[in-house]
Amino acid sequence: MAKDPGRVLIFDTTLRDGEQSPGASLNLEEKLAIAQQLARLGVDVIEAGFPFASPGDFAAVQKIAENVGGEEGPIICGLSRASKPDIKACADAIAPAPKKRIHTFIATSDIHLEHKLRKSRKEVLDIVPDMVCYAKSFVDDVEFSCEDAARSDLDFLYEVIESAISSGANTINIPDTVGYTTPSEFGDLILNINKNVPNINEAVLSVHGHNDLGLAVANFLEAVKNGARQLECTINGIGERAGNAALEELIMALHVRRSYFNPFFGRPPESPTPLTAVRTEEITKSSRLVSNLTGMVVQPNKAIVGANAFAHESGIHQDGVLKNRLTYEIIDAKTVGLSDNKISLGKLSGRSAVRARLEDLGYDLNREDLNDAFARFKDLADRKREITDRDLEAIVSEQVQLPEALFQLKLVQVSCGTSLLPTATVTVVGEDGEEKTSVSLGTGPVDAVVQALDSLTDEPNELIEFSVKSVTEGIDALGEVTIRIRRDGNLFSGHSADTDVVVAAAQAYINALNRLVASQGRKSIHSQDDDLAKVCKKWIK
Ligand code: KIV
Ligand code: ZN
């Protein structure tokens, strides 16, 4: 059997595989904020990125290595292909972390060997020991992955794993790269690796899997029963294509069904010792942070973190839950950090009350960020009677997006109604402090705002998603807007919250534009005069 840490290690890859979701790209501050939250959540390993992929990825991994973790915190890991320049970049990026890991991989399936790598099995078998030894020359902790393991020839797979372990790999990861396998097949694969790789007891067995058939979590749970002791997963299950196995689902399955899984760890069923080190009460906050910053909206019926996950709609269910919640609830919402603390702060609350509440929520802001958050809180409190934890989270998560802001929204005003052509006036301040104003007509107020912003910023794009949702109940609730725009096949998302959804839409659009511009170099606002004429000409015949 593979090395057994006595519990399941959680390897979070939200910032690497999760960030590979179309349109989910995050800036450095956002990655740092997520990494800090992952540390509070209590994951064992944070895969912070793929340093060789771009200078931005390198900088983000390095920043996380410098600022997150510590002796008691998570291991900071970087991904690298099995090549020297990749491994070297990874080693340099993670160097500042007190606990660090290099994760190197090469494909092992014939499909990948023939069509992607154009290498023979023999060539791959030569590369593996060389690259694991090279990674080992930088760090003690090396993980090796056999990409597309689930579709690889078994004897070849065993040989590759044995060679990686002999060369010093401490963790062997078995990915179902294309989400093809089924739970019993995946369980058998882990069992067979345990039986057929002679030195398997020298490494921890890990699994990684995609959700193309919606089976990733089920596959992982079968793998755990057969000796896998590290799970690679992402918050909200984000990731390539249909995503990765969802961290919150795995954690809660192992938590709620602990007595079922305990015997696979050699424990009596009733043992109360948790199977992971994750603090379940941090799950909801982590989910919201990742959703807000990536712009990947969580579907309402998503297990554990969806808006409806703890809502009882039918009369029969409500009646049962009122009599005894065990009738229809397998998880107490508080276990995942959903507090029933609705009313926390209001117009008269001071800075220290806001700071204390934010600290309770896990946001430890520096002086400058706290000042910004407090200003935004006051502004919101003028318009909304009760400020809830959700409102505070919306304020803070939006703030994380601000450092890269090239365009700032100064003013937005719309007129619309049954007998008016929707008209928007917007003022934007550019990086150089120059203010420009534009007026536009649109099919509706949001369209008019978008047209006006487009005329000022001149960043051609296609608006592909616009969604509004209410943060809390009530007529004065904050409306959260998520916008996604596309340019040259690349997606950029923006998110914002305000009691006025048109203002939130304008701010979310500006946030998305800022990301688009940041990805292609800086730009200033061009003169409005020509645009105003151009835009108005389209409408006024
Ligand atoms: O899906 C996959 O195979 C991966 C590897 C790089 C671990 O993401
Ligand atoms: Zn993957």
Side-chain angles (χ1 to χ4, degrees):
M1 264 302 233
K3 207 187 235 170
D4 191 351
R7 65 174 175 86
V8 174
L9 304 172
I10 297 297
F11 176 115
D12 181 278
T13 183
T14 305
L15 294 172
R16 199 278 296 169
D17 211 320
E19 213 226 357
Q20 288 173 219
S21 315
S25 69
L26 297 159
N27 66 33
L28 194 135
E29 287 78 15
E30 291 165 340
K31 287 183 184 174
L32 187 59
I34 291 177
Q36 276 156 344
Q37 177 55 28
L38 291 172
R40 280 191 287 268
L41 179 65
V43 305
D44 298 281
V45 186
I46 295 177
E47 187 165 52
F50 187 173
F52 192 74
S54 72
D57 262 54
F58 183 95
V61 175
Q62 194 174 42
K63 185 94 180 168
I64 291 169
E66 281 163 1
N67 291 284
V68 185
E71 290 302 339
E72 300 305 311
I75 296 166
I76 306 301
C77 171
L79 181 71
S80 58
R81 287 170 302 184
S83 84
K84 282 194 170 178
D86 262 62
I87 293 173
K88 175 77 172 75
C90 184
D92 290 345
I94 60 170
K99 287 158 67 184
K100 41 187 164 277
R101 174 180 296 183
I102 294 178
H103 175 193
T104 187
F105 74 98
I106 192 162
T108 50
S109 70
D110 287 338
I111 301 176
H112 278 233
L113 262 59
E114 191 183 331
H115 302 289
K116 188 182 82 172
L117 298 178
R118 299 190 200 287
K119 289 196 188 308
S120 65
R121 290 186 184 178
K122 161 90 179 61
E123 283 172 296
V124 168
L125 266 174
D126 288 342
I127 292 170
V128 172
D130 279 0
M131 290 306 116
V132 172
C133 285
Y134 185 61
K136 256 330 233 202
S137 71
F138 297 104
V139 289
D140 290 336
D141 186 350
V142 171
E143 170 168 337
F144 175 77
S145 281
C146 316
E147 192 190 11
D148 206 17
R151 292 191 301 171
S152 300
D153 173 80
L154 282 180
D155 289 327
F156 178 59
L157 187 66
Y158 302 150
E159 228 180 316
V160 169
I161 296 173
E162 184 181 354
S163 157
I165 297 175
S166 305
S167 315
N170 320 67
T171 302
I172 294 293
N173 184 41
I174 307 298
D176 177 18
T177 302
V178 290
Y180 176 73
T181 196
T182 65
S184 57
E185 284 173 330
F186 203 51
D188 286 349
L189 177 62
I190 299 302
L191 185 70
N192 285 325
I193 290 172
N194 263 317
K195 277 193 191 148
N196 292 294
V197 176
N199 54 0
I200 196 69
N201 61 346
E202 292 168 36
V204 171
L205 250 183
S206 166
V207 287
H208 176 107
H210 287 266
N211 210 23
D212 300 65
L213 296 175
L215 295 172
V217 168
N219 287 340
F220 277 28
L221 295 175
E222 278 306 300
V224 166
K225 286 163 62 181
N226 288 285
R229 290 294 177 263
Q230 176 181 279
L231 305 181
E232 300 202 355
C233 45
T234 59
I235 304 287
N236 300 336
I238 64 171
E240 279 278 354
R241 306 183 309 278
N244 285 72
L247 178 146
E248 61 281 1
E249 295 176 20
L250 291 163
I251 297 298
M252 292 316 290
L254 293 169
H255 179 84
V256 173
R257 302 303 313 276
R258 188 168 49 224
S259 57
Y260 172 76
F261 287 102
N262 270 338
F264 297 99
F265 290 76
R267 308 172 178 185
E270 62 283 4
S271 166
T273 311
L275 286 169
T276 72
V278 164
R279 295 177 199 96
T280 58
E281 326 78 61
E282 293 287 329
I283 285 178
T284 301
K285 184 146 41 89
S286 309
S287 163
R288 286 177 183 163
L289 184 68
V290 169
S291 170
N292 289 345
L293 296 184
T294 57
M296 308 268 305
V297 178
V298 174
Q299 78 201 52
N301 59 325
K302 164 85 179 60
I304 318 295
V305 290
N308 296 348
F310 296 93
H312 299 281
E313 188 68 19
S314 95
I316 298 173
H317 287 210
Q318 286 173 352
D319 177 54
V321 169
L322 285 174
K323 287 177 176 143
N324 185 330
R325 64 169 200 82
L326 292 179
T327 50
Y328 287 101
E329 265 182 27
I330 58 163
I331 305 169
D332 180 346
K334 289 201 191 88
T335 317
V336 296
L338 260 182
S339 75
D340 34 21
N341 172 2
K342 285 215 165 123
I343 304 161
S344 42
L345 298 164
K347 200 174 165 160
L348 301 176
S349 308
R351 252 177 84 90
S352 50
V354 172
R355 188 185 50 213
R357 191 71 208 126
L358 282 169
E359 277 172 8
D360 277 354
L361 290 168
Y363 294 100
D364 192 6
L365 303 186
N366 63 29
R367 203 183 159 77
E368 207 183 315
D369 288 344
L370 181 65
N371 286 345
D372 282 356
F374 188 60
R376 291 160 67 84
F377 163 80
K378 278 290 183 198
D379 179 49
L380 180 62
D382 274 341
R383 289 174 286 146
K384 189 171 187 287
R385 207 160 55 84
E386 293 157 354
I387 310 291
T388 66
D389 290 350
R390 258 320 255 122
D391 294 326
L392 280 182
E393 279 174 0
I395 286 173
V396 180
S397 70
E398 187 174 335
Q399 227 172 284
V400 181
Q401 299 184 17
L402 292 178
E404 250 182 27
L406 308 178
F407 300 126
Q408 308 250 13
L409 185 68
K410 172 103 190 273
L411 171 140
V412 55
Q413 221 175 333
V414 291
S415 54
C416 57
T418 46
S419 56
L420 283 173
L421 266 182
T423 311
T425 307
V426 296
T427 302
V428 170
V429 184
E431 209 188 351
D432 46 10
E434 207 185 348
E435 263 184 36
K436 297 284 180 195
T437 299
S438 178
V439 180
S440 269
L441 303 172
T443 51
V446 173
D447 183 48
V449 166
V450 166
Q451 302 271 0
L453 288 172
D454 277 348
S455 73
L456 286 178
T457 54
D458 194 21
E459 289 297 338
N461 70 79
E462 199 188 338
L463 178 68
I464 56 159
E465 188 184 318
F466 170 74
S467 79
V468 190
K469 78 174 196 266
S470 152
V471 171
T472 49
E473 300 101 54
I475 196 75
D476 62 352
L478 278 182
E480 262 182 338
V481 174
T482 302
I483 274 180
R484 296 229 235 182
I485 58 179
R486 179 162 52 202
R487 152 107 57 104
D488 301 334
N490 297 318
L491 293 176
F492 305 91
S493 67
H495 170 267
S496 186
D498 198 284
T499 47
D500 182 327
V501 288
V502 178
V503 174
Q507 188 60 60
Y509 192 66
I510 281 281
N511 291 343
L513 283 177
N514 277 329
R515 286 179 165 192
L516 182 154
V517 176
S519 80
Q520 5 212 304
R522 313 216 136 193
K523 243 200 119 167
S524 63
I525 305 176
H526 68 99
S527 165
Q528 59 151 356
D529 305 337
D530 293 343
D531 293 320
L532 185 57
K534 197 166 68 195
V535 174
C536 289
K537 234 186 271 159
K538 271 205 296 204
W539 294 92
I540 305 162
K541 299 224 164 89

